[in-house]
Amino acid sequence: MGKITVAIDGFSSTGKSTLAKQLAKALGYVYVDTGAMYRAVTLFALRNGFIGGKQNNISALIKLLPRLQLKFIYNKELGFSEMYLNDENVEKEIRSLEVSKYVSQIATVEQVRYKLVDMQKKMGREKGIVMDGRDIGTVVFPDAELKIFMTASPEVRAHRRYKELLERGEEVKYEEVLKNVQNRDYIDSHREISPLLKADDAIEFDNGDMGLEEQFERIYNFALRVIAKHK
Ligand code: DC
């Protein structure tokens, strides 16, 4: 059977990566979490004091970009790929609230987007890929055979994220998480380059009151129909 490209975009904490992982596993496709790539660059910028201090130094970050190595390495036990920054596994650190606070800012930097989009396009050359992010259906794979745009209210998403962070042992307040979600929505949707937009041919999917299983079943069945058409 022919392989297709699946592009999943949407607001933060809409469950994009959960769905993308499930879908990739069921279809036997590669899964790529592009948010992890922007998060890894943000972690690098934080560690080097290029952001998060008194003064940002984005030009210093831009200068180091060509030497920045990002890799996904498959973890057999976990069943998914983990993010490596210059050969260090940063999968855990990139999910902290600290990185979440600054990542939208880093994602507005043209040179960062240019580097990451180029890497993403190369990863998808062979198709058979499920990629999630903000600009996958619009910029990275405008010709993807299946595009999904996920939404849910900011409150629903903040609750999900709050639970996740608590489970990970982070001390956070719900209000702080909600503010972060709203702030990221704003920056992601209003940035000049590749703002978060629903592609004209994407299917909009509001999963505010839908269980994970139902969501997966619906989209999986839909994906099978699209694949059958592209044999
Ligand atoms: O999906 P996520 O929450 O891990 O993404 C982190 C941030 O990275 C998000 O605020 C927007 C940005 N991002 C982006 O601009 N483009 C992408 N393709 C993926 C993520």
Side-chain angles (χ1 to χ4, degrees):
M1 203 181 285
K3 289 190 170 181
I4 64 163
T5 300
V6 183
I8 303 184
D9 290 301
F11 292 98
S12 61
S13 302
T14 40
K16 294 186 300 292
S17 56
T18 308
L19 172 73
K21 264 184 214 163
Q22 286 176 317
L23 206 54
K25 197 170 171 201
L27 297 172
Y29 281 16
V30 172
Y31 162 62
V32 177
D33 168 8
T34 61
M37 299 168 79
Y38 288 93
R39 285 172 179 274
V41 177
T42 306
L43 179 65
F44 178 79
L46 277 168
R47 282 178 173 177
N48 287 284
F50 300 148
I51 44 161
K54 279 195 192 120
Q55 247 187 339
N56 288 349
N57 191 353
I58 299 298
S59 49
L61 169 68
I62 293 170
K63 259 197 208 142
L64 291 180
L65 277 179
R67 281 199 273 145
L68 197 74
Q69 248 199 52
L70 298 176
K71 250 188 280 174
F72 283 105
I73 298 183
Y74 189 72
N75 181 325
K76 247 196 215 162
E77 273 161 45
L78 296 175
F80 62 86
S81 297
E82 295 179 298
M83 186 79 248
Y84 282 72
L85 166 67
N86 295 333
D87 293 322
E88 174 194 350
N89 184 335
V90 291
E91 187 59 35
K92 213 165 169 193
E93 271 186 280
I94 58 170
R95 312 286 167 192
S96 67
L97 194 57
E98 178 73 357
V99 170
S100 298
K101 254 188 210 163
Y102 294 98
V103 64
S104 287
Q105 213 176 315
I106 292 297
T108 62
V109 179
E110 187 180 1
Q111 291 83 348
V112 171
R113 299 207 72 85
Y114 188 80
K115 177 181 168 99
L116 300 193
V117 167
D118 185 56
M119 287 175 70
Q120 292 152 12
K121 281 181 190 270
K122 285 179 183 147
M123 290 177 198
R125 269 201 296 239
E126 311 283 318
K127 293 189 181 271
I129 193 165
V130 182
M131 192 175 273
D132 80 44
R134 302 294 189 287
D135 57 346
I136 313 305
T138 50
V139 177
V140 182
F141 300 131
D143 299 326
E145 292 83 356
L146 175 57
K147 298 181 185 176
I148 297 162
F149 189 85
M150 300 187 62
T151 64
S153 76
E155 289 76 14
V156 165
R157 293 183 283 127
H159 266 294
R160 287 180 188 155
R161 186 101 187 96
Y162 176 61
K163 243 182 81 191
E164 243 175 62
L165 289 166
L166 286 187
E167 278 165 13
R168 243 184 259 144
E170 287 209 34
E171 278 178 36
V172 285
K173 291 200 179 90
Y174 168 73
E175 288 69 28
E176 194 187 352
V177 178
L178 178 62
K179 229 169 96 186
N180 175 251
V181 164
Q182 288 168 327
N183 196 27
R184 278 206 285 157
D185 283 0
Y186 186 84
I187 303 179
D188 292 349
S189 315
H190 290 82
R191 68 171 172 242
E192 245 172 75
I193 320 156
S194 314
L196 171 62
L197 273 178
K198 178 184 160 301
D200 289 339
D201 50 351
I203 305 158
E204 188 161 336
F205 202 78
D206 186 328
N207 65 0
D209 49 23
M210 195 179 291
L212 281 182
E213 261 173 52
E214 185 188 348
Q215 163 181 287
F216 170 68
E217 282 301 319
R218 282 216 212 173
I219 296 184
Y220 178 59
N221 287 322
F222 191 78
L224 290 181
R225 288 204 293 275
V226 175
I227 292 169
K229 266 200 246 163
H230 286 87
K231 254 190 253 180

